[in-house]
């Protein structure tokens, strides 16, 4: 009985010495986002796309202000100004809703594509470096800086076309 207990104890102690050392890397996702050429290109493209509507909205805002001032002036035809005012407000709202819908759709599509790129780059890093995990730096309480793969991640994300 003592021999069996000793054998089991030895086996148990031997197994506790065999710990699994998981390979990991960490990335700073905020830096990846800030450094993404894809996101910068998408933002510039979106700005160019909505620039004409934004200019139109600014002009309508000026027109509405002019109508308000005109209505305050004596002798102005209030009904006519009210009709013009309401037409400008309706035009403004229609354009604004269109711009908001365009921006939301573009942001959603951009986020989906970017998320796919980040996952693809993370998987490439994981495979190339023979890692078990690639973690977000903000999710780790502490880590050795030698495992920071942020620069490599930025290169990979920016290289994906």
């Amino acid at each position: 009985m003592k021999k069996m207990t000793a054998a089991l104890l030895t086996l148990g102690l031997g197994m506790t010495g065999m710990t699994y050392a998981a390979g990991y890397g960490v990335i700073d996702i905020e830096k990846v986002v800030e450094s993404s050429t894809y996101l910068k290109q998408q933002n510039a493209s979106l700005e160019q796309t909505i620039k004409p509507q934004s200019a139109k909205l600014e002009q309508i805002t000026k027109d509405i202000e002019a109508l308000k001032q005109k209505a305050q002036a004596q002798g102005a035809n209030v009904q006519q100004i009210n009709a013009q005012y309401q037409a400008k407000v309706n035009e403004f709202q229609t354009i604004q809703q269109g711009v908001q819908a365009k921006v939301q759709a573009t942001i959603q599509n951009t986020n989906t594509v970017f998320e796919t790129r980040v996952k693809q780059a993370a998987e490439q890093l994981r495979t190339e470096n023979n890692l078990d995990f690639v973690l977000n730096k903000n999710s780790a309480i502490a880590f050795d800086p030698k495992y920071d793969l942020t620069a490599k991640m930025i290169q990979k994300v920016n290289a994906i076309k």
Side-chain angles (χ1 to χ4, degrees), residues 54-108:
S54 296
K56 181 72 173 168
L57 289 172
E58 288 177 28
Q59 183 58 50
I60 293 172
T61 300
K62 290 177 184 176
D63 293 347
I64 289 171
E65 282 301 314
L67 287 170
K68 284 181 183 178
Q69 290 175 358
K70 191 175 179 181
Q72 292 172 352
Q74 290 182 339
N77 182 348
V78 176
Q79 285 181 326
Q80 183 183 10
I81 292 172
N82 277 339
Q84 291 172 345
Y85 175 83
Q86 193 58 47
K88 288 290 181 184
V89 168
N90 289 342
E91 182 181 7
F92 182 90
Q93 289 173 340
T94 300
I95 293 171
Q96 186 180 40
Q97 288 170 353
V99 169
Q100 286 175 340
K102 173 73 172 167
V103 168
Q104 287 174 343
T106 300
I107 288 172
Q108 185 175 17

Side-chain angles (χ1 to χ4, degrees), residues 20-27 125-126 129-137 140-149:
Y20 181 79
Y24 72 94
V26 294
I27 59 158
L125 280 173
R126 190 191 70 72
N129 293 289
N130 199 26
L131 303 172
D132 295 311
F133 305 99
V134 176
L135 306 169
N136 183 351
K137 180 179 179 178
I141 295 173
F143 65 92
D144 189 333
K146 71 181 179 185
Y147 296 111
D148 190 338
L149 301 173

Side-chain angles (χ1 to χ4, degrees), residues 1-10:
M1 184 73 161
K2 287 184 180 183
K3 287 184 182 183
M4 185 184 292
T5 304
L8 289 174
L9 189 61
T10 303

Side-chain angles (χ1 to χ4, degrees), residues 46-59:
L46 179 59
E47 286 177 20
Q48 285 300 109
T49 300
I50 65 171
K51 193 173 187 177
Q53 291 94 341
S54 296
K56 181 72 173 168
L57 289 172
E58 288 177 28
Q59 183 58 50

